[in-house]
Amino acid sequence: MPGARYLVLASRLVPDRDGGFTISVLRRALDMAAAGAEITLLTVDPGETADHDTHRAEWVRRGLLGSEGSLRNLFDDARSDPSWLRRSAIPGPVPSSPWPTRVVTDGSGAAMLDLPVVSGDAAWHLTDAPVRIYDGDGDVIGWLPGFGGLYRAWLNAVAAESADGGAERAPVVVLCEARQIGETLVASGGPALDAGIRVLHTTHACHVLSPFQWDSPMDAAWQRWFEIADRFDGVLWLTPSQRDDVERRFGGRLRSFVVPHPAPVVSAPSDPVAGRIVILNSLIPRKRVDHVLRALPAIRAAVPAAHLCVYGDGGSGAQLRALATELGVADAVEWLGHVADPATQAWASADVLVLASTNEGQPLVILEALAAGVPVVAYDMPYGPRDTLAYGGGVLVSDGDIDALAAALIDVLSDRGLRSELSASGRAAAAAMDAAASMRALGDAVRTALVDPVSS
């Protein structure tokens, strides 16, 4: 990794929230630190310090955070030392606002600032409604223009800190992990980011809607993001397929890099239970667990030992359980719910992993399965399965074809030679997609941003 101070900026990092996004952010931070980077994780959710302390301690316990001090929060920083907040305040009359406000207090209960509460607008984060700033006596001393002004003021303050107390500061690279925050960083008004800060924006999700083709419609949030994405010093895509689709649609106006998730090291001993099909995802419509349930009668007819172990929960849980009963396969489905560390359990006994989503970014679950030597059967949907399974370890199935999904699972479950081949090729593929490969790709992107920033 090029020499720099790295600030990884996310909206929040809460245990057991936001699925694979949270885990991927924390894992990459650990990989960066292992590659020699000086890294600090930053969040902006306006919770209480005690709650954030609990989150930090839990991440350290799970081995996903090096130390509690490496995860900072904007509002915790303001409570511990509000000087940066007060220095950044724009003096003078505070503009009027149509929105009510939420007061954020310090440890003694005194007001530090208040935030606009914007309702009925999906782009609430882009408001320029004032954030009022208070002094130690409870008097308003100034304001900042919206969340963007507040976030940029904090980033400038963190970037200005000298890690070693010396006169010369290292370059500062911000890895922005959330589109909502990214939009605020390049918005106009209020304090701008200091000229020496380079911003790379990572992406974690599919950018199109159904039917999920390169030119399919996009929702308003993605449309808005693409309008400003050329202002970043680099955009990091998880797969070549998504980058290529974006360039096909928008041309080369974005400075794009492919920085995939790495395959983790999986230490769980492998003792697969014959016929055990593992699903490891949220129980929501996008994951299409119903497709797997509908495939199960045919699978059981061919492989009587076949059964599902479903890790995860979500709003579709009751409906899916009812469907299993309707299909006559309830006795072959084990609903395990949310498990804090499902991989340790799942990969030790899985015969095969199935993924039937409508779309993904680059599913961590596939990388974990490959590293554990568990074959994967997945729909060929955007994005991730095609790129990740390109070098072995699984079977791609035509998107949405339940009969083909059943046939592929039958093949893997019934042909032990095929399973052995997929297991071996998956481990080899995972070894090539390790943290070192991901860090080389990230290092190339950072190096370009440092030498030739977009703002230049």
Side-chain angles (χ1 to χ4, degrees), residues 209-290:
L209 301 173
S210 180
F212 304 106
Q213 303 299 317
W214 71 272
D215 57 351
S216 292
M218 297 186 298
D219 66 22
W222 272 111
Q223 292 177 28
R224 193 174 58 241
W225 184 85
F226 274 110
E227 291 175 359
I228 53 90
D230 57 353
R231 303 178 194 176
F232 299 114
D233 295 295
V235 176
L236 311 183
W237 303 99
L238 291 171
T239 64
S241 294
Q242 189 170 16
R243 178 210 51 199
D244 293 348
D245 279 359
V246 168
E247 291 187 349
R248 182 179 182 186
R249 183 167 189 159
F250 295 100
R253 67 181 184 85
L254 305 187
R255 181 185 281 174
S256 292
F257 303 88
V258 176
V259 181
H261 293 317
V265 176
V266 176
S267 57
S270 179
D271 185 18
V273 174
R276 178 160 294 174
I277 305 168
V278 165
I279 295 174
L280 207 166
N281 52 234
S282 302
L283 304 185
I284 57 176
R286 181 171 67 85
K287 299 297 185 176
R288 291 193 292 199
V289 175
D290 62 304

Side-chain angles (χ1 to χ4, degrees), residues 21 24 27-28 78 80 94 127 131 190 231 248-249 322 390 408:
F21 163 81
S24 67
R27 282 182 179 171
R28 180 154 63 186
S80 63
V94 178
T127 182
V131 174
R231 303 178 194 176
R248 182 179 182 186
R249 183 167 189 159

Side-chain angles (χ1 to χ4, degrees), residues 319-342:
Q319 181 181 354
L320 291 169
R321 287 175 173 82
L323 178 61
T325 299
E326 177 187 332
L327 295 169
V329 295
D331 62 323
V333 184
E334 185 175 5
W335 304 95
L336 297 166
H338 172 75
V339 178
D341 186 15

Side-chain angles (χ1 to χ4, degrees), residues 84-85 165 175 177 202 233 268 284 304 309 339 357 359 361 388 390 445 447:
W84 66 268
L85 182 62
L175 267 66
E177 301 282 0
T202 65
D233 295 295
I284 57 176
C309 285
V339 178
S357 305
N359 66 95
T388 307
R447 198 168 291 108

Side-chain angles (χ1 to χ4, degrees), residues 39-63:
I39 181 168
T40 304
L41 288 150
L42 305 176
T43 60
V44 297
D45 60 308
E48 298 299 324
T49 299
D51 293 331
H52 294 148
D53 287 342
T54 300
H55 301 159
R56 296 181 184 101
E58 177 61 13
W59 288 131
V60 171
R61 187 191 69 80
R62 295 188 191 183

